[in-house]
C-alpha cells in the first residue's frame, strides 16, 4: 500500500480548506459577543453579592439599648456575665452576633457594665470574685474591680457601657467593641 494514499478513517490528517474571511470575521464577532455577555452576566450576579457582603462594613454602628435581664435577678455586690446582641449584628452572624459584658449591681438602683474585651488586644477578661480582679489570660493584664489597670500591658481601664433600668429591666447601651 502506498504512503501517499489518504486513509479515510484518519481524521487527524484531513486538511480543511481555509475559512473565507467573512466566516473568520463572524467567528471573531461571536467570540467577542460571548465574552461580553459572560462579563455582563458575571457582573450582574457578582455585584449584588459583593454589595451584600461589603455594605455592612460601611454601615454606621447603631447604638441600641439592650435588655440583659430583670433588675431583681441581680444581687447587690455581685459581678456576673451578661450576654446581648452586639451593636450591629449581621444577618449571617448567628451566635457571633452576641457579645457580653460584666455587670455589677453596685446598689439597689445602680449598675455598672464593663466590657469583656481587654483594653490591650481585645481578649475576653474574666472576673475573679475571690481576688476581686479582672484577669486577661492573653498577656497577663490585670484590672481592679473598678476596671482600672492593676498590672500588665493594658494601656487604660476596661471600657464601660452605659447602663439604665427601665420598667424593671436592666439595659446596656451597645457600642462597637471599645478597644484601642
Ligand atoms: S489582650 Fe489582654 S493583656 Fe493582652
Amino acid at each position: 500500500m502506498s504512503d501517499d494514499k489518504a486513509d479515510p478513517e484518519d481524521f487527524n490528517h484531513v486538511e480543511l480548506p481555509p475559512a473565507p474571511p467573512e466566516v473568520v470575521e463572524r467567528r471573531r464577532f461571536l467570540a467577542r459577543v460571548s465574552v461580553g455577555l459572560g462579563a455582563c452576566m458575571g457582573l450582574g450576579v457578582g455585584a449584588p453579592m459583593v454589595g451584600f457582603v461589603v455594605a455592612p462594613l460601611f454601615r454606621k454602628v447603631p447604638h441600641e439599648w439592650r435588655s440583659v435581664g430583670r433588675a431583681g435577678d441581680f444581687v447587690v455586690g455581685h459581678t456576673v456575665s451578661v450576654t446581648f446582641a452586639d451593636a450591629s449584628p449581621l444577618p449571617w452572624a448567628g451566635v457571633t452576633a452576641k457579645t457580653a459584658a460584666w455587670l455589677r449591681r453596685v446598689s439597689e438602683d445602680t449598675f455598672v457594665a464593663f466590657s469583656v474585651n481587654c483594653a490591650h488586644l481585645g481578649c475576653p477578661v474574666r472576673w475573679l470574685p475571690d481576688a476581686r480582679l479582672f484577669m486577661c489570660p492573653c498577656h497577663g493584664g490585670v484590672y481592679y474591680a473598678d476596671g482600672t489597670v492593676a498590672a500588665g500591658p493594658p494601656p487604660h481601664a476596661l471600657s464601660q457601657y452605659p447602663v439604665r433600668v427601665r420598667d424593671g429591666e436592666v439595659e446596656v447601651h451597645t457600642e462597637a467593641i471599645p478597644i484601642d
Side-chain angles (χ1 to χ4, degrees):
M1 190 192 263
S2 126
D3 279 348
D4 54 354
K5 243 189 167 188
D7 180 355
E9 300 285 317
D10 186 359
F11 294 107
N12 290 330
H13 291 94
V14 174
E15 289 203 8
L16 297 172
E22 63 271 14
V23 171
V24 172
E25 204 44 50
R26 191 169 61 224
R27 283 182 190 150
R28 270 199 203 123
F29 172 74
L30 289 175
R32 285 187 192 128
V33 168
S34 302
V35 169
L37 281 177
C40 287
M41 285 170 63
L43 266 179
V45 171
M49 287 169 66
V50 170
F52 182 72
V53 171
V54 171
L57 302 178
F58 297 98
R59 203 173 52 194
K60 214 167 165 238
V61 175
H63 290 213
E64 309 266 357
W65 287 100
R66 304 242 196 262
S67 172
V68 294
R70 302 286 304 164
D73 294 339
F74 299 100
V75 179
V76 174
H78 283 211
T79 304
V80 295
S81 170
V82 292
T83 57
F84 50 93
D86 74 17
S88 184
L90 298 173
W92 58 85
V95 290
T96 62
K98 292 229 169 213
T99 189
W102 288 106
L103 183 77
R104 178 179 307 139
R105 186 169 193 174
V106 179
S107 66
E108 277 308 311
D109 40 68
T110 311
F111 290 81
V112 288
F114 297 96
S115 167
V116 293
N117 298 102
C118 180
H120 180 219
L121 293 177
C123 286
V125 299
R126 291 184 55 210
W127 168 248
L128 304 179
D130 293 337
R132 295 198 57 76
L133 293 169
F134 293 100
M135 296 279 300
C136 178
C138 291
H139 314 101
V142 184
Y143 302 85
Y144 293 116
D146 65 357
T148 53
V149 179
H156 58 76
L158 281 176
S159 299
Q160 293 186 25
Y161 294 99
V163 192
R164 72 181 183 187
V165 179
R166 277 284 162 96
D167 300 327
E169 294 280 323
V170 182
E171 296 179 340
V172 169
H173 200 223
T174 62
E175 293 166 1
I177 291 177
I179 54 170
D180 289 337

